[in-house]
Structures are given as structure tokens and as C-alpha cells.
Amino acid sequence: MLLRLLRTHLRPYKKPIGLLVLLQFLQTCASLYLPSLNADIIDNGVVNGDTGYILLFGGVMIAVSVVQVVCNVGAVYYGARTASALGRDVRAAVFERVQSFSAREVGQFGAPSLITRTTNDVQQVQMLVLMAFTLMVSAPIMCVGGIVMALGQDVPLSAVLLAVVPVLGVSVALIVKRMRPLFRTMQERLDTVNRVLREQITGNRVIRAFVKDDYERERFKGSNTELTDVSMATGRLMALMFPTVMTVVNVSSVAVVWFGAHRIDSGGMEIGALTAFLAYLMQIVMSVMMATFMFMMVPRAEVCAERIEEVLSTESSVVPPSEPVRELERRGHLEVRSADFRYPGAEESVLKDVELVARPGETTAIIGSTGSGKSTLLGLVPRLFDVTGGEVLVDGVDVRKLEPGLMARTVGLVPQKPYLFSGTVATNLRYGKPDATDEELWHALEVAQAADFVKGLEHGLDAPIAQGGTNVSGGQRQRLAIARTLVQRPEIYLFDDSFSALDYKTDALLRDALKEETAESTVVIVAQRVSTIRDADRIVVLDEGRVVGSGRHHELMAGNETYREIVLSQLTEAEAA
């Protein structure tokens, strides 16, 4: 998964990667050449007392060092730029894919997990690439080059390398093998901490109302402890890595000095060659240590790449049409034909053979007990999810064939839980129509019965709105959401229990104002409150996902027992009549 992700997203950066590899090669070659120059100075300059030789080759060493530094700086620069570009591209790809998801896919992953995958997981992959460009590219060159140069200094002493390199490789491989599953568990538990924290921040008022502070504190402590435990287990393995490597390094250094001293004593080796050999040994070991550091990051990056690929490879169940319809007659006629909907893996359908017709200039209401499928039915129209059977038609065209932009202009939905974005009142109202004038905004606020409270805010239309609209009340949030849809002026208005937080007086005033504003539009209202929908032109009664009645209020009161039960649970017989 990791290789596939990198291959896909690094393809546009072949030239900077090629330049980076060249610079790393040059700086590594310069690093490998320095010990040989040092050995020559010792053997031919220091031993013979030739100051001119020392100065000459000392100057060469300085020049080589400058080349090494310049190449290293260039390599790090291009490596950082490319890694940052990779992170940007992967985040954008994940964001684009999540934006295409329907409510089904978002629920499948969960918001906390999607946030973690877009931020932390991408960051882990980006960090691995940065380390690979700055360390891993030079590590194999230095390792192989160091072995070759060490053989050039003394072949018999190079036998030490035959023992050092395999021992290091096996030690690192055993530790990395145990780390990989721990990293997957770590990312999953990070998701859990993210989810619990998100719930506690969002549900702060509920927690305080039920005095559940201690319970939630213990719940967070539990998930936090689980993450800490797996992090500690991973940390212990990481802490074991460096002592293991350094033990092998120190033992091998002692062995080189021991056997090298015997070689010098017998005349088979120069002092400078031993010095150079020790330097090459350290370079070889350092390259292995750099690779070790990379191997420590690879397991976690692999897990993160798998989680990213899970998102990127998930296709939305709501697919844009290949040949979209880009124009409609714009009449606003809505028809649902034999619609079925079933969630993946569910035993029964939520909606079963639903028939509904909503015409321009009329108000169609949908009512039913909790869980009867009212909100699901309304969500089929703007394609929050697609029918699993039957059709949903707008102006005679299946909504699955409509161009998304045309759908957004034709259908306006006020959801059951209205959401406001961080910004101002004006930016929220212009969400569906960026070029709306202030006059249009105030008109929409007047119709939505929100103008008075917006005028009462310190900055009016420029008053700040917190994320989710948490700095306004539930009723104010609903009225602003209704005004946002009115600014858009679609042909079809869908109100999903959008008046539930309003008092009866405001509810009545808002419905009266809406009648005039939407006189030529199609209006569909889902409501629990009978007073909200009793004057509708047509009332559709849902029960366990099926339509069990349709008609006006007095007709259903006379002939539909399900509707009658709902009405009498809220009103007296006299009030209902």
C-alpha cells in the first residue's frame, strides 16, 4: 500500500527527485573520499614530516568538504519541498474523496477517523518520505561505498565487516517485525481518543446537565491509557534498537583496533590505513543506523498508508452521472416512484415501495412515528443517498442523472440538525448563493423570522458565528438555516423537521411568511408537530417505511387510524377537528 501510494503521488516530481538523488550521490562520494585523503596525509605527510604535502592535501580536504556541504544542503532543500508537496497532494486527494462520499460512507468510517487519516496519517507518510530523501538515499550508497573503500585499505581486516553487517541487519529486522502491528493498534487507538474527545467537547452541555463529568473523565482516561500502553510498548522496542546497534558498533570497533594493531605490528598495514578503515567502519555503521531509523518509521507509515488507501479506494454509493442532464424545465415537480432503500447489511429496508407526488404551488407534508423513514425519504431527493429500488424524479428526470450543480440550484434542503459554519451571519447565508446582495439576505431573514435577532447582534450581518453555530440558540440556528435556503431560491424546498425548535407563535408566523414566499414553489415538510402540517395541501403518512395514508387533514382524521393516533397524542378531539 505504501509503495503504491508513493508511486502514484510522487510521479509528478520525477525531476526534483532525480536531482536530489544526484546531489545525495555527490555528497556521499565526497564523504567517502575524505577518510582516504586523511590516510594519505598521515602516511605521507605526518609520518614523513612533509608540511607541504599536509597543506596541499588539507586544502583538497577542505574543497571536498565544501562540495559535500553544498550538495547536502541542496538535497535537503529538494527533499523537504518534494515531501511537503506529497503531503499536500495526498491531503487534497483524501479531502476530494471524502467530499464525494454520501452519508453512508461517512458513517462507515466515522468523522474522527477521517480527520485522523487526513491529518496524522498523511503527516506520518510525509515524514517518512522526508527522512527517505535526506537519509535513506545516501545510506545504501554510503554502505556499499564504505565496504568498497574499506577493502581498498586492507582486505584481511575487512573480514570484520562480514560479521558486523549481517548481525546488524538481523537485529533490526527482528525488532521492526514486532513493531508493525503495534503501530496499527496505535493509530486505531488514536482514532478512539479523537472520537471520545470530540464527543465530550460537542456534548459538553449534556454532560453537565446529567452531572456525568466523572464518568466522562474515566472514559477518556481509559481510552488515553490504552493509547499510552501501546505507545509505551512501541517506545520500548524503539529504545532497544539503538543500544543494540551501538553494542555491535562498539564491539566491531574494538575488533578492528585489535586486529589492525597486529597488522601494523607485522608491517602489513599503515597507521593511516587503520585510521581510514575505522572511519569507513563508522560510515558503514552510520548508514545502517540511518536505515535503522528509517525502518523504525516504515511500519507506522505503512499502516497509515493502508488507512489512507482505504479512503481513496472507497467509491461513493452516490456516483455522479457520466452524461448528466444540465437543464430542466424548472417547474419543480417532484415524484417518488416505488422507492425502496436499505442500508448495507441491514435485514430489512428502511423504505418500502414508497409513492409520493409533490407539485409546484402546493405544500406536501410527511408525518409518521419515530423511525418510520421520514428523514431518509427526504434525503433521497438531494441524493444524500440513492434509492436501492424505484426512482426519484425531478421534473420527470431521475435525480441520478442530474448534474450536481443543477441539483443544488433546484433542490434546497433544511436538514433536521441545521449546521452553521464558522464565519459571519452573511457568509453563512451566502453559502448557496455567493453573489447575493444584502437586500436579499435581509429579505430572507424577514421571511425566516430571524431579522429581529440579527439586527440585535452587535455587527448585524457581520456578526460572528462559531463553528456549528454554537453561539446562537437552537431556534436561531434553525431560522438562519431556513434563511440560507431562502436566499438560494430553489424550485423545491425540503424542510426536514426544521421548525421543531421554534415556539408556536414563531412557527405560525414563519409558515405564513413561507406561504407567500414559496407560492410558486414545491414545498415538502417533514414534521412531528401536527400544528405545523395540518394545513398542508397533502399529508403523507408513513409507518415502518410504508405509505399508509395520503390526503388532507380532515380526510385522514376520518379514515386513517395511524394519522388519527398521532394527532390525538398531541391534540384533543375538539382541537383536531
Side-chain angles (χ1 to χ4, degrees):
M1 286 292 186
L2 179 60
L3 289 176
R4 185 169 72 181
L5 183 71
L6 296 181
R7 202 163 40 237
T8 301
H9 293 280
L10 286 177
R11 191 173 291 122
Y13 305 103
K14 290 181 179 179
K15 288 184 178 180
I17 292 174
L19 182 58
L20 180 151
V21 172
L22 176 62
L23 291 171
Q24 287 282 31
F25 178 77
L26 292 175
Q27 75 96 7
T28 306
C29 289
S31 298
L32 291 169
Y33 188 40
L34 288 173
S36 293
L37 288 172
N38 189 43
D40 286 342
I41 290 174
I42 292 172
D43 292 337
N44 301 322
V46 177
V47 173
N48 297 329
D50 189 342
T51 305
Y53 192 91
I54 295 172
L55 292 174
L56 175 62
F57 279 85
V60 174
M61 286 186 72
I62 291 173
V64 172
S65 298
V66 170
V67 171
Q68 179 196 10
V69 169
V70 170
C71 291
N72 194 30
V73 170
V76 170
Y77 172 77
Y78 283 107
R81 281 181 61 90
T82 306
S84 298
L86 170 77
R88 177 199 62 203
D89 294 348
V90 175
R91 276 192 299 271
V94 174
F95 178 80
E96 287 294 326
R97 182 50 57 96
V98 172
Q99 286 294 95
S100 72
F101 284 171
S102 69
R104 179 188 297 181
E105 287 76 43
V106 173
Q108 173 188 331
F109 285 102
S113 182
L114 288 172
I115 291 171
T116 305
R117 292 170 197 242
T118 310
T119 54
N120 186 271
D121 288 5
V122 173
Q123 186 179 15
Q124 295 299 327
V125 174
Q126 178 180 330
M127 188 61 67
L128 174 74
V129 172
L130 177 60
M131 292 296 104
F133 286 156
T134 54
L135 298 178
M136 198 60 186
V137 172
S138 61
I141 303 172
M142 185 173 289
C143 185
V144 174
I147 292 172
V148 172
M149 297 297 285
L151 286 170
Q153 295 298 326
D154 192 80
V155 175
L157 193 58
S158 300
V160 176
L161 300 175
L162 295 176
V164 174
V165 176
V167 169
L168 277 175
V170 171
S171 302
V172 170
L174 290 174
I175 295 174
V176 168
K177 184 179 180 181
R178 293 188 59 189
M179 288 172 67
R180 194 177 188 283
L182 290 175
F183 278 128
R184 171 167 280 282
T185 306
M186 184 187 296
Q187 293 303 113
E188 290 171 353
R189 292 186 180 176
L190 186 62
D191 279 349
T192 304
V193 170
N194 198 345
R195 174 175 55 79
V196 172
L197 185 61
R198 184 185 176 93
E199 285 178 354
Q200 291 174 347
I201 293 173
T202 307
N204 182 264
R205 292 182 180 179
V206 179
I207 294 169
R208 294 288 176 85
F210 286 89
V211 196
K212 286 290 185 179
D213 303 66
D214 292 338
Y215 170 77
E216 291 297 333
R217 192 176 293 112
E218 287 299 316
R219 193 159 75 99
F220 180 78
K221 181 181 177 182
S223 57
N224 195 23
T225 301
E226 288 178 351
L227 176 60
T228 303
D229 290 343
V230 71
S231 300
M232 290 290 289
T234 307
R236 281 192 288 269
L237 285 175
M238 293 174 69
L240 182 64
M241 183 93 70
F242 286 106
T244 301
V245 171
M246 291 309 299
T247 299
V248 176
V249 169
N250 292 332
V251 171
S252 58
S253 297
V254 171
V256 167
V257 172
W258 176 268
F259 291 112
H262 285 288
R263 292 279 297 155
I264 292 171
D265 188 50
S266 63
M269 189 179 188
E270 298 290 338
I271 295 175
L274 177 60
T275 305
F277 193 94
L278 280 169
Y280 288 128
L281 175 66
M282 290 306 299
Q283 286 183 337
I284 293 167
V285 172
M286 284 301 297
S287 67
V288 174
M289 286 186 67
M290 287 191 289
T292 300
F293 186 70
M294 284 295 303
F295 285 135
M296 288 164 52
M297 300 184 66
V298 166
R300 188 172 188 181
E302 279 185 337
V303 170
C304 293
E306 287 176 9
R307 287 158 53 86
I308 293 168
E309 280 292 340
E310 283 177 8
V311 176
L312 295 178
S313 61
T314 299
E315 296 294 336
S316 175
S317 56
V318 176
V319 183
S322 55
E323 297 181 2
V325 174
R326 302 183 186 277
E327 290 186 11
L328 288 172
E329 294 181 20
R330 310 288 285 179
R331 291 179 290 115
H333 187 275
L334 171 65
E335 183 177 0
V336 179
R337 292 182 186 169
S338 305
D340 283 11
F341 179 77
R342 180 188 299 234
Y343 287 102
E347 294 182 1
E348 294 187 11
S349 296
V350 179
L351 298 174
K352 306 158 191 172
D353 197 29
V354 173
E355 300 279 348
L356 183 145
V357 176
R359 299 180 180 87
E362 295 182 352
T363 298
T364 303
I366 303 172
I367 196 168
S369 58
T370 302
S372 58
K374 305 183 297 297
S375 294
T376 303
L377 175 58
L378 221 59
L380 296 175
V381 182
R383 296 192 72 194
L384 299 184
F385 18 70
D386 279 341
V387 291
T388 51
E391 296 177 301
V392 178
L393 307 174
V394 171
D395 289 336
V397 180
D398 194 315
V399 293
R400 289 170 290 189
K401 296 179 181 178
L402 290 179
E403 192 261 330
L406 176 60
M407 169 70 77
R409 293 191 298 273
T410 305
V411 178
L413 171 67
V414 182
Q416 191 172 14
K417 296 179 180 179
Y419 190 89
L420 300 180
F421 296 91
S422 57
T424 65
V425 173
T427 57
N428 273 279
L429 296 182
R430 290 192 174 103
Y431 197 73
K433 189 180 179 183
D435 59 346
T437 63
D438 285 358
E439 288 74 19
E440 290 177 289
L441 301 188
W442 282 115
H443 176 70
L445 288 169
E446 290 283 355
V447 174
Q449 308 303 304
D452 289 342
F453 93 78
V454 172
K455 288 175 182 176
L457 298 175
E458 186 175 351
H459 300 290
L461 289 175
D462 295 322
I465 296 293
Q467 182 183 7
T470 54
N471 61 333
V472 294
S473 70
Q476 291 171 339
R477 194 156 53 242
Q478 280 193 338
R479 283 177 282 167
L480 287 175
I482 292 169
R484 178 171 58 191
T485 302
L486 290 170
V487 168
Q488 187 181 348
R489 302 194 67 81
E491 272 68 45
I492 300 173
Y493 290 87
L494 306 177
F495 297 99
D496 186 4
D497 206 10
S498 307
F499 311 98
S500 57
L502 306 181
D503 59 78
Y504 284 96
K505 179 183 177 182
T506 305
D507 184 356
L509 290 172
L510 176 54
R511 284 187 286 113
D512 287 341
L514 276 175
K515 282 182 182 178
E516 184 178 344
E517 184 71 14
T518 61
E520 298 180 0
S521 304
T522 302
V523 178
V524 182
I525 299 175
V526 165
Q528 296 282 3
R529 193 185 290 173
V530 172
S531 59
T532 302
I533 54 95
R534 64 184 298 169
D535 296 327
D537 299 293
R538 185 181 300 99
I539 301 172
V540 176
V541 185
L542 281 183
D543 186 32
E544 295 185 356
R546 295 184 184 278
V547 175
V548 295
S550 177
R552 296 185 69 89
H553 172 73
H554 65 275
E555 296 170 348
L556 292 170
M557 281 296 293
N560 189 280
E561 190 60 33
T562 302
Y563 182 75
R564 185 178 174 80
E565 287 178 3
I566 294 171
V567 172
L568 294 181
S569 68
Q570 301 178 33
L571 307 173
T572 65
E573 189 79 44
E575 289 172 333

